[in-house]
Amino acid sequence: MDNLLGYALSAMAGATLAAIFFGVWIRRRRGKGPDPAELRRRVMRGAYKALESDFAGAAEEFGAVAQSDPDSSDVYFVMGRLFRRAGQFARAARVHQNLILRHDDKKGEIKKRALFELAEDYRAAQMLDRAVNTFAELVELAPQWLEPLQNLVELAIKGRFWSVAVTYIPRLEKLAGKVDDELAAHVLAEYALLQIEQGNPEEARKTLKLALKRSPRLAHVAFSFAYLHADAQKPKAVIVAMQEALDDRPDVLPLVLDALHRLATDHDFLERFDEFLADRGDDADGHWSVTLHRALRQRELGNDSKARELIRDLIRQGVDIPPVRQQATELMLALPEEWPQQERPWTCRRCQAAHQQLDWFCSSCSGWGTLDVPHTSKNVS
Ligand SMILES: [Zn+2]
């Protein structure tokens, strides 16, 4: 009995002591931190600074608030976004990385949000590869969340990560319930070119079959098939495929000629390329590119004076397109004074971005087939 009472008393005493110590500890801890009025003031100051677009200053205020309550992830999210708005991407990323580390073992909602924000930090910092990897990680964690998947596909295309884009486009189509066959075919055509370049023609063939299923008549797909035929040493089929591309999109002639010239050189069918050039009429879209390649061929054959003559003729016509200028410079022709100082590059009709080279793809707005061949003075009027 006594013993039991003694136990009970000592247990109570122990509990009381513990409670007192705990209370003191809590009071001490509270005493050390800023008082609630000060916290409120900092939150208000942070809000005002944000309203005045002083995002870095606002982030500092919220950082002080966050330190007084390390468990509150919301304040950290606010802080991270403010740093991003202030252009301090490394600090924003650090805030979000800390959130990810701290919440790695929990249910994951905070981790997912933080991954999303981290990917946005990388996107804002133009670190597309990291943004793509982070969105991909998030998509595996949250496969039903549409926005990261959309961003992943968008950035994979923008950054020309074709294998990533090819992987995730069908998943996006399924989740969004919306199919874009033409986009998929363009991306597959680019991926096939990459596979050929990497020495996987069999994989490229499979990819192009998928592209054909998506969009059987797309010029871009025919263009990529031409590369596959060249790889298989079938020059006749190369020419046929390129002609098919031109039938669909006559305006990509400069792109087709560049590609054909390179393929004919690498795979030894330059006579066929010369025939192709000879067969071009003089009134085709982008005819300047025919003359340009005739000049390049003349130079390759050692006829520099003939090459100069052809380029001079273009200059006389007022053609001031970047590749023509480049060749004129390489042939050491003096630029005539009437040649406008400002180059007229290819312009995207969707986003107005200027490009020095013709391409299927506008790297500024991710538009496909949106680059217009610059007008030559001959075309202008
Ligand atoms: Zn564009």
Side-chain angles (χ1 to χ4, degrees):
M1 215 38 170
D2 279 345
N3 271 350
L4 225 113
L5 189 67
Y7 266 120
L9 279 173
S10 62
M12 276 169 71
T16 312
L17 268 177
I20 288 167
F21 275 121
F22 194 56
V24 168
W25 180 71
I26 283 186
R27 271 195 296 277
R28 277 229 183 119
R29 198 163 168 260
R30 278 189 183 149
K32 268 184 190 169
D35 69 286
E38 168 63 11
L39 285 182
R40 263 199 307 280
R41 271 195 296 278
R42 297 208 82 147
V43 168
M44 292 311 288
R45 272 206 303 270
Y48 273 115
K49 285 182 178 175
L51 285 171
E52 283 163 11
S53 301
D54 174 12
F55 299 113
E60 302 293 351
E61 300 290 350
F62 280 102
V65 178
Q67 270 176 4
S68 72
D69 188 5
D71 293 331
S72 158
S73 51
D74 287 326
V75 183
Y76 283 95
F77 277 115
V78 171
M79 197 167 63
R81 281 207 178 194
L82 287 167
F83 277 133
R84 190 161 76 229
R85 284 295 297 275
Q88 298 185 3
F89 305 124
R91 296 181 83 177
R94 223 172 305 132
V95 169
H96 296 130
Q97 278 159 345
N98 283 337
L99 277 168
I100 292 165
L101 283 177
R102 197 128 37 82
H103 296 275
D104 207 14
D105 53 336
K106 298 191 180 159
K107 278 253 169 167
E109 285 315 310
I110 289 172
K111 185 187 176 183
K112 287 175 201 165
R113 266 177 70 197
L115 272 171
F116 189 93
E117 296 298 327
L118 180 61
E120 290 292 344
D121 296 336
Y122 289 139
R123 185 218 293 255
Q126 301 287 328
M127 299 162 93
L128 287 190
D129 52 343
R130 288 195 187 193
V132 163
N133 288 340
T134 308
F135 275 127
E137 188 184 342
L138 176 55
V139 162
E140 297 312 322
L141 269 181
Q144 297 303 312
W145 189 4
L146 184 61
E147 211 180 335
L149 187 53
Q150 276 171 334
N151 292 352
L152 174 57
V153 168
E154 185 194 319
L155 291 183
I157 292 172
K158 199 172 169 56
R160 295 174 184 258
F161 303 111
W162 303 122
S163 74
V164 178
V166 163
T167 306
Y168 287 98
I169 281 175
R171 283 174 67 167
L172 174 60
E173 287 179 332
K174 207 170 158 196
L175 191 60
K178 215 170 81 189
V179 172
D180 188 343
D181 281 331
E182 205 175 301
L183 171 74
H186 275 299
V187 171
L188 286 163
E190 288 291 343
Y191 185 41
L193 287 179
L194 184 66
Q195 289 174 312
I196 296 166
E197 199 186 304
Q198 292 171 342
N200 296 318
E202 280 322 301
E203 293 303 312
R205 187 174 299 279
K206 286 179 204 160
T207 303
L208 283 177
K209 277 186 183 160
L210 290 175
L212 271 186
K213 258 189 218 164
R214 291 285 199 149
S215 185
R217 289 186 192 286
L218 197 70
H220 194 176
V221 176
F223 179 87
S224 296
F225 260 112
Y227 277 75
L228 196 61
H229 298 317
D231 191 76
Q233 303 296 336
K234 294 177 180 165
K236 210 169 152 184
V238 175
I239 302 281
V240 171
M242 286 299 193
Q243 188 56 57
E244 221 176 286
L246 285 174
D247 290 344
D248 183 48
R249 285 284 305 274
D251 60 312
V252 298
L253 181 63
L255 198 60
V256 164
L257 289 179
D258 282 350
L260 263 184
H261 201 149
R262 215 172 317 125
L263 290 173
T265 307
D266 292 349
H267 298 277
D268 204 19
F269 59 92
L270 280 165
E271 307 87 68
R272 276 186 198 275
F273 179 59
D274 289 336
E275 279 169 35
F276 186 85
L277 281 179
D279 287 349
R280 294 293 106 184
D282 281 358
D283 52 353
D285 270 323
H287 175 72
W288 58 268
S289 65
V290 177
T291 310
L292 174 66
H293 281 276
R294 284 177 184 156
L296 289 173
R297 284 294 293 138
Q298 288 299 328
R299 192 169 60 175
E300 282 165 19
L301 295 167
N303 304 330
D304 274 13
S305 60
K306 179 74 185 147
R308 275 198 200 101
E309 200 180 299
L310 286 163
I311 297 283
R312 275 212 183 96
D313 193 41
L314 282 180
I315 293 170
R316 263 196 296 276
Q317 291 170 32
V319 178
D320 57 349
I321 288 159
V324 174
R325 279 185 167 238
Q326 191 196 327
Q327 293 310 319
T329 313
E330 278 177 27
L331 282 166
M332 294 190 290
L333 290 167
L335 301 186
E337 276 176 14
E338 63 268 30
W339 202 346
Q341 280 303 301
Q342 212 184 344
E343 285 186 33
R344 279 177 293 186
W346 280 267
T347 309
C348 174
R349 80 178 75 98
R350 207 168 82 171
C351 75
Q352 312 304 318
H355 298 266
Q356 291 300 304
Q357 294 292 326
L358 181 57
D359 198 328
W360 292 101
F361 173 68
C362 172
S363 48
S364 298
C365 72
S366 299
W368 290 95
T370 54
L371 300 195
D372 279 330
V373 176
H375 292 295
T376 63
S377 59
K378 202 177 164 189
N379 293 340
V380 162
S381 67

